Amino acid sequence: MLLYYSLISPLSQKNLQSWVKPAVFLLCLFPVAWLIWQLLNNMLGANPIESFTRQSGEWGLRFLLITLAMTPLRRISGQAWPLRYRRMLGLFSFFYVSVHLLSYIVLDQFFDWSEIWADILKRPFITIGMTAFILLIPLAVTSNKAMMKRLGRSWQRLHRLVYIIAVCGVLHYFWLIKADLLWPTIYAAILTILFILRVKLKP
Amino acid sequence: MLIKRPSDIKSSEITDEAIYLRRREFMQATAGLALMPLFGAAVAKTSALAELKFKKNSKLSSSETLTDYNSITTYNNFYEFGTDKSSPAKHAHRLTTSPWSIVVDGHAKKTGKFDLEDILKPHSLEERIYRLRCVERWSMVVPWVGFSLADLIKRFQPTSKAKYVAFETLHRPEEMTGQKRSVLEWPYVEGLRMDEAMNPLTILAVGLYGKTMPNQNGAPIRLVVPWKYGFKSIKSIARISFVEKEPPTSWNISIPSEYGFYSNVNPEVDHPRWSQKKERRIGEFLRRDTLMFNGYAEQVAHLYKGMDLKKYY
């Protein structure tokens, strides 16, 4: 089914698609451009490294949730277009999570590998964050059409990992907060709604 | 002639040295102001702060580079005004700090409700440049202006039953808008053992950088205990109580497994969720090692002789 939607699109929509997709692509790049602009122009406050790391992580989680919203959106709207953006959005999630991880390794820890390793082993919020990142790698690698074809049925099974990744991502956020759980709770609520929609709207 | 000889330059044209030395700060502040309408950048909203008269206490001051004023006044943990670091600078201007009174009660000969002016009158102010280490692994160097807490305590003549000093912040949700959400139990409460409170390093601060305390930093009067994590240094104090038993403290009430009563800066005792071995000094790129008792071991280590600091974290 997935293959069907990603390969076949009505000819009438081709023209529209030709400029919409690049526009969405650029829009998805805006947060990272904005973050780098702020970092270079001293606009991230007194602790720019902490702010950059946190904000890039938030964007990773946001894109993951937006990606997960595409299938329910397709079913609710009856339109095919949401699925055409799913891969791109998912890859952007991987991109922002990678920026987040690099920010932690380079800016925050400055390649202090022993400290990073100790963090992964001893700090549950980092353990689970790293788990989410590692699980994202096979999904990113197998996101192209050739891999979809080659893996066939198992592709879909493999990509169900995204549910686990999303839960890990939200828990990662929960466990690093000192007291104010408002935002992690909002993300958890959105994820729960997306899960419920998936179950309810099953074709 | 394009290049003037020194004698040609009128003294009125020469930039004051103090301003010249702070030109970067000035330029940053100006840039921030220019961008503010566009991006709501964190620039402290403060009414004009009065210059304070004080002596420098170099004996008890650090000689490290000061953290710039803008960072000290825009990067704050003051949950009464919201939980983002930039929230207090944006919202603390709503707090009415004058008139201000402090209730002193408990085991002391003199108790009652006192106007801030009466509290402050007998004390002469001094500048203390202290390191501030937050439990979140960042640190600053702040030039506080204040006076020794011990001097204040002596005035109220606590009795032998006064084993601890408890502090309470104001509870005024209509001005302290962060108090409308129960992120912590309000009002914020803190406490010190009597010998900690009487230590010469412990001060009540009424200003920083030579001026009256900005609201976001705990105006009009706050505690500063430099060898403990920042959250022990309670802001905007409205009550001081002399008590017999260890008083409850806000972060300990909130998450007892993570925040103890003592909360001394200690690189050997990790926060359950993160290491405390290193810290990022605001303004620096590489992290530096965190020092035992935040570098004040010489003055305070004796207070904890024989105590298991892993147990009493």
Side-chain angles (χ1 to χ4, degrees), chain B residues 183-194:
Chain B
V183 179
L184 292 170
E185 227 172 73
W186 311 117
Y188 194 90
V189 287
E190 258 306 336
L192 294 172
R193 216 168 56 189
M194 190 51 97

Side-chain angles (χ1 to χ4, degrees), chain A residues 109 123 175 177-178 180, chain B residues 83 136 181 270 273 287:
Chain A
Q109 296 281 13
R123 318 291 163 196
W175 291 347
I177 294 278
K178 238 165 87 197
D180 188 358
Chain B
T83 54
E136 296 165 359
R181 290 178 51 219
D270 285 347
R273 290 184 284 158
R287 294 212 267 208

Side-chain angles (χ1 to χ4, degrees), chain A residues 40-161:
Chain A
L40 297 179
N41 289 284
N42 211 357
M43 289 159 69
L44 286 175
N47 198 348
I49 294 172
E50 188 269 343
S51 179
F52 187 91
T53 309
R54 185 172 39 76
Q55 291 195 55
S56 54
E58 279 174 14
W59 279 109
L61 190 54
R62 281 176 201 144
F63 273 103
L64 195 60
L65 295 180
I66 296 170
T67 310
L68 279 171
M70 290 302 115
T71 303
L73 193 61
R74 142 96 189 100
R75 291 186 188 145
I76 290 167
S77 68
Q79 306 268 321
W81 64 263
L83 287 193
R84 282 202 292 274
Y85 294 95
R86 195 171 63 174
R87 171 179 32 215
M88 189 172 84
L89 291 165
L91 283 171
F92 265 110
S93 174
F94 180 66
F95 169 72
Y96 279 98
V97 171
S98 305
V99 170
H100 174 61
L101 179 64
L102 277 175
S103 171
Y104 162 74
I105 292 171
V106 182
L107 299 177
D108 195 18
Q109 296 281 13
F110 199 64
F111 306 108
D112 186 344
W113 296 109
S114 67
E115 196 59 30
I116 292 169
W117 188 238
D119 263 0
I120 296 171
L121 294 181
K122 277 166 80 179
R123 318 291 163 196
F125 84 93
I126 293 185
T127 314
I128 204 158
M130 203 56 90
T131 307
F133 174 75
I134 288 166
L135 292 180
L136 269 172
I137 297 171
L139 303 201
V141 170
T142 60
S143 65
N144 55 14
K145 279 176 192 160
M147 285 307 262
M148 281 172 89
K149 266 189 201 156
R150 220 161 88 184
L151 291 172
R153 255 166 204 278
S154 37
W155 186 90
Q156 203 160 7
R157 235 178 299 143
L158 175 67
H159 278 247
R160 285 200 186 116
L161 273 178

Side-chain angles (χ1 to χ4, degrees), chain B residues 13-166:
Chain B
E13 287 176 20
I14 299 170
T15 307
D16 183 71
E17 191 191 355
I19 293 173
Y20 175 76
L21 289 172
R22 293 177 62 188
R23 65 199 180 278
R24 281 161 205 276
E25 247 172 80
F26 174 74
M27 282 158 73
Q28 275 169 16
T30 320
L33 279 173
L35 290 168
M36 193 163 56
L38 280 172
F39 311 118
V43 172
K45 279 185 198 167
T46 39
S47 45
L49 298 168
E51 298 278 348
L52 292 170
K53 275 198 192 116
F54 60 90
K55 292 191 309 237
K56 284 184 189 291
N57 186 327
S58 41
K59 214 180 94 210
L60 290 175
S61 284
S62 159
S63 53
E64 288 163 275
T65 312
L66 300 182
T67 303
D68 67 286
Y69 183 81
N70 195 49
S71 294
I72 293 174
T73 54
T74 57
Y75 193 74
N76 310 96
N77 274 324
F78 196 174
Y79 280 17
E80 280 79 349
F81 298 104
T83 54
D84 284 344
K85 297 282 179 300
S86 56
S87 304
K90 287 177 198 154
H91 305 304
H93 64 95
R94 296 191 189 123
L95 180 67
T96 310
T97 56
S98 177
W100 190 273
S101 58
I102 298 178
V103 173
V104 180
D105 58 10
H107 301 295
K109 285 191 183 134
K110 284 208 294 189
T111 55
K113 190 175 179 177
F114 303 92
D115 284 337
L116 183 64
E117 293 76 53
D118 298 329
I119 294 266
L120 298 181
K121 212 178 281 167
H123 300 281
S124 49
L125 300 176
E126 51 183 61
E127 183 178 71
R128 306 269 189 113
I129 301 169
Y130 281 165
R131 289 176 290 276
L132 170 85
R133 168 60 157 83
C134 178
V135 75
E136 296 165 359
R137 295 188 292 184
W138 52 266
S139 64
M140 294 181 174
V141 179
V142 186
W144 301 109
V145 179
F147 56 93
S148 163
L149 174 64
D151 291 344
L152 176 116
I153 289 176
K154 283 175 206 152
R155 281 166 59 201
F156 294 97
Q157 299 164 32
T159 67
S160 58
K161 272 188 165 179
K163 302 274 194 276
Y164 294 86
V165 187

Side-chain angles (χ1 to χ4, degrees), chain B residues 220-249:
Chain B
I221 187 164
R222 65 168 288 171
L223 184 68
V224 180
V225 198
W227 72 92
K228 292 177 180 282
Y229 292 119
F231 65 85
K232 290 292 292 182
S233 294
I234 187 170
K235 302 183 178 84
S236 305
I237 297 168
R239 181 188 291 269
I240 299 174
S241 311
F242 298 101
V243 295
E244 200 175 354
K245 293 209 172 77
E246 186 183 287
T249 57

